[in-house]
């Protein structure tokens, strides 16, 4: 067991996947000699050769479109989109082909491909380097959408994603890349589509994922000082959503706050709140609240601290859940 | 000298290719019959006559409302038949919506070819056993799939070639550029066949590109560009065959521009009188690929009148049988919506599918 970063855990997952299955191949922009702009593929081209890990021309639609053809032929491509907002040129391939080929071919061709995308803000990036684009992927039937919040999940969920028979959009919270964790690898933290309770509590449930999990846990610690005992759920997979874990928790606590960094309007929290309302209506003591980024384009780096939902906004939302009415 | 070399070396045509008036005779007409045995030429003729009957029948279906839409390839039978026969059955085709006759030539069941247009399934055939991707509707996107599959085959050491079909209009799309560039850099064994039928729906080639020819574009990617007469099936066959074998030998992709003409409108829903000058189609009718091959084969003694009549009758019978089979109602099962979205049905889709099943049962349509 040693201290390793999420970046290192991802790198190890890719190395292990390349080693365990000759069908696994990696490609993208700058992922070869450079090891990717975040160094997630560091050393892999040197170790496995440039037929297993290679640089492509600068063309996102080409990266994803050729991955479709490679997967059709039996490879398991793992492609990197350099930054969240630079995956948009590949949207046509993603929506029209990646997400639909199994359906269009009535099961004859599934696409076991993984699209790795560093996403989200908090690292002082200039515009187009901090988008939270998960809702676009969540809103596209046929895709699985995964986002880890710990190094252990980063390793395990990436291995599971690469092994998945369906296309996975694997969103890497870039502001958590360098966080360290005591961890022994390999590790398996459970299947895709399963959420996990990071902190047990009785008064309300905070539902978060990816970069917001850390903030939610900090908020729960701060809330304890006010006498509120909060449960924190890390969704880990956004599509399919683990309703069972979420609803069991909300039925116990009677209150829910969804926390995410992406914008709120028609954002992921809208879907999650709607599902909680549909499934837990008679257990709810208060409306489901959302604490999200504003409905604006991601701001310039100097302003991002005002945009990102922090501990105070979460505590305000928690406080608004009419605590007086609760018998202690 | 192969046709490929001949065409590459041929002098460029004077001036840009314009939409109208159009010259039907592109540069580089090679002595095409050379090297194609008579029985193979006869096979091509038969496939083209059947293909034309198919286009006629499918167009009739669309008028009868039995197809939601049909993009006819009448006039382009030489491109479709010549190319499909030029590659091996284990090579992969990446067709667009207009490639019905190529698919038919490949041996795919005609009802399955039309399933997409009837609207009950997205892809009627099994792409894996047919080595044929689903007919692609978003323009140029299939070029990248072809490049990727070909590159994968190359890496796996398999002698597999991908043949990507694309129209003239779609060469303006970014994916076309990205696919050619990628394939050239990676030496992927792909043949890009542009059927330049002069129009993208209503937009003539002159408004689509300022390039002198579409084949010229190849130079910018570092691959050979070949311009052929797309109404001459033997030229199409030879060019695609040579490019495929060149790719198979590890020499990378080729761009072929087959100059042809779309005799019918873009689809049955289109009114081509609004954008095509009257009489333009007549200029091209003189170059009709089916008539032309028939004339050549009759002159060469490979075909006689009686055999030609026999083939025409067989094509009519084929169309009649297709019509009879097509009168059966589509089998579309609403529950199939949920069946192949994911490998494992996620819980929310299970709920939604149960809901639909209950509705269908209530409507008396359940299993
Ligand atoms: C990405 C995309 N944009 C627009 C369309 C709508 N559209 C369908 S066919 C067509 C014209 C295509 O022309 P061309 O590439 O020359 O092929 P042809 O139909 O003549 O065979 C257009 C614009 C589409 N299918 N896909």
């Amino acid at each position: 067991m040693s201290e390793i970063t999420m970046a290192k855990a991802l790198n190890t997952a890719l190395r292990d996947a390349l080693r365990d299955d000759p069908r696994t191949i990696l490609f993208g922009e700058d992922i070869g000699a450079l090891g990717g702009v975040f160094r997630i593929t560091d050393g892999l081209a040197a170790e496995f050769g440039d037929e297993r890990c290679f640089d492509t021309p600068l063309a996102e639609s080409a990266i994803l479109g050729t991955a479709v053809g490679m997967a059709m032929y039996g490879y398991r491509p793992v492609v990197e989109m350099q930054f969240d907002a630079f995956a948009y040129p590949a949207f046509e391939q993603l929506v029209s082909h990646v997400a639909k080929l199994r359906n269009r071919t009535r099961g004859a061709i599934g696409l076991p491909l993984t699209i790795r995308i560093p996403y989200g803000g908090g690292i002082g990036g200039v515009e187009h380097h901090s988008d939270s684009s998960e809702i676009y992927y969540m809103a596209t039937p046929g895709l699985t959408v995964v986002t880890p919040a710990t190094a252990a999940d980063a390793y395990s969920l990436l291995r599971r994603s690469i092994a998945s028979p369906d296309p996975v959009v694997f969103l890497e919270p870039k502001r958590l890349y360098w966080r360290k964790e005591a961890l022994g690898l390999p590790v398996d933290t459970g299947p895709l589509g399963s959420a996990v309770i990071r902190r047990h509590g009785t008064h309300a449930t905070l539902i978060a994922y990816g970069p917001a999990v850390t903030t939610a846990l900090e908020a729960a610690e701060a809330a304890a000082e006010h006498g509120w005992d909060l449960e924190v759920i890390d969704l880990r997979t956004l599509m399919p959503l683990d309703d069972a874990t979420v609803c069991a928790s909300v039925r116990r606590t009677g209150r829910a706050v969804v926390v995410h960094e992406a914008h709120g309007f028609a954002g992921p929290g809208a879907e999650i709140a709607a599902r909680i309302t549909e499934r837990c209506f008679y257990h709810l003591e208060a409306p489901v609240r959302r604490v999200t980024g504003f409905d604006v384009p991601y701001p310039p780096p100097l302003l991002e601290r005002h945009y990102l939902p922090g501990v105070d906004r979460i505590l305000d939302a928690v406080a608004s859940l009419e605590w007086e009415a609760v018998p202690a | 000298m192969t046709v490929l070399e001949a065409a590459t070396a041929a002098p460029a045509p004077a001036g840009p290719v314009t939409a109208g008036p159009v010259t039907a005779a592109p540069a580089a007409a090679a002595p095409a019959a050379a090297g194609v045995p008579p029985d193979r030429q006869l096979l091509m003729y038969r496939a083209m006559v059947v293909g034309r009957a198919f286009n006629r029948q499918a167009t009739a279906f669309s008028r009868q409302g039995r197809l939601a839409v049909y993009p006819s390839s009448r006039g382009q039978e030489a491109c479709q038949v010549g190319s499909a026969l030029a590659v091996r059955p284990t090579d992969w085709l990446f067709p667009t919506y207009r490639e019905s006759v190529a698919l038919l030539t490949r041996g795919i069941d005609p009802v399955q070819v039309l399933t997409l247009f009837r609207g009950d399934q997205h892809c009627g055939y099994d792409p894996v056993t047919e080595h044929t991707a689903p007919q692609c509707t978003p323009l140029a996107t299939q070029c990248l799939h072809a490049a990727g599959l070909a590159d994968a085959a190359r890496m796996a050491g398999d002698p597999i070639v991908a043949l990507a079909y694309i129209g003239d209009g779609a060469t303006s799309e970014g994916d076309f550029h990205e696919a050619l560039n990628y394939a050239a850099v990676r030496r992927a064994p792909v043949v890009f066949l542009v059927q330049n039928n002069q129009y993208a729906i209503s937009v003539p080639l002159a408004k689509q590109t300022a390039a002198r020819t579409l084949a010229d574009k190849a130079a910018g990617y570092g691959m050979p560009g070949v311009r052929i007469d797309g109404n001459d099936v033997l030229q199409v066959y030879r060019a695609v065959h040579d490019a495929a074998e060149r790719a198979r030998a590890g020499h990378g992709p080729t761009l072929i521009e087959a100059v042809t003409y779309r005799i019918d409108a873009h689809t049955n829903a289109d009114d081509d009188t609004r954008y095509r000058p009257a009489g333009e189609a007549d200029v091209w009718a003189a170059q009709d690929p089916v008539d032309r091959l028939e004339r050549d084969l009759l002159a060469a003694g490979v075909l006689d009148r009686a055999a030609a009549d026999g083939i025409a009758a067989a094509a009519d019978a084929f169309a009649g049988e297709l019509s009879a089979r097509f009168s059966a109602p589509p089998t579309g099962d609403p529950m199939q919506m949920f069946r192949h979205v994911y490998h494992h049905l996620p819980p929310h889709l299970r709920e939604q599918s149960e809901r639909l099943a209950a509705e269908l049962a209530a409507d008396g349509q359940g299993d």
Side-chain angles (χ1 to χ4, degrees), chain A residues 108-130:
Chain A
I109 300 180
L111 295 178
L113 68 88
T114 305
I115 307 161
R116 295 182 34 245
I117 312 178
Y119 85 117
I123 63 160
V126 297
E127 66 163 347
H128 298 119
H129 291 75
S130 298

Side-chain angles (χ1 to χ4, degrees), chain B residues 144-172:
Chain B
L144 283 162
H145 308 161
L149 182 134
D151 200 23
R154 179 192 61 75
M155 291 194 296
D158 298 337
I160 299 292
V161 169
L163 170 56
Y165 289 92
I166 185 170
D168 47 288
T171 63
S172 300

Side-chain angles (χ1 to χ4, degrees), chain A residues 20-43:
Chain A
D20 290 354
D21 187 346
R23 298 172 301 172
T24 303
I25 45 172
L26 270 47
F27 51 101
E29 295 160 9
D30 305 297
I31 73 155
L34 182 67
V37 293
F38 291 106
R39 305 292 184 269
I40 306 301
T41 55
D42 201 19

Side-chain angles (χ1 to χ4, degrees), chain B residues 17-43:
Chain B
V17 180
T18 55
V22 199
T23 12
V36 182
D39 59 338
R40 195 127 185 101
Q41 296 184 40
L42 213 48
L43 176 69

Side-chain angles (χ1 to χ4, degrees), chain A residues 43-98:
Chain A
L44 300 180
E47 185 173 340
F48 294 95
D50 67 1
E51 289 287 65
R52 302 287 308 282
C53 177
F54 56 88
D55 290 326
T56 63
L58 230 169
E60 291 74 17
S61 189
I63 293 169
L64 196 50
T66 55
V68 170
M70 294 215 181
M72 286 171 80
Y73 202 72
Y75 281 87
R76 304 185 88 88
V78 184
V79 301
E80 177 175 307
M81 297 284 154
Q82 203 152 64
F83 280 91
D84 30 55
F86 303 141
Y88 301 148
F91 246 77
E92 159 66 1
Q93 288 291 338
L94 187 86
V95 174
S96 293
H97 297 297
V98 173

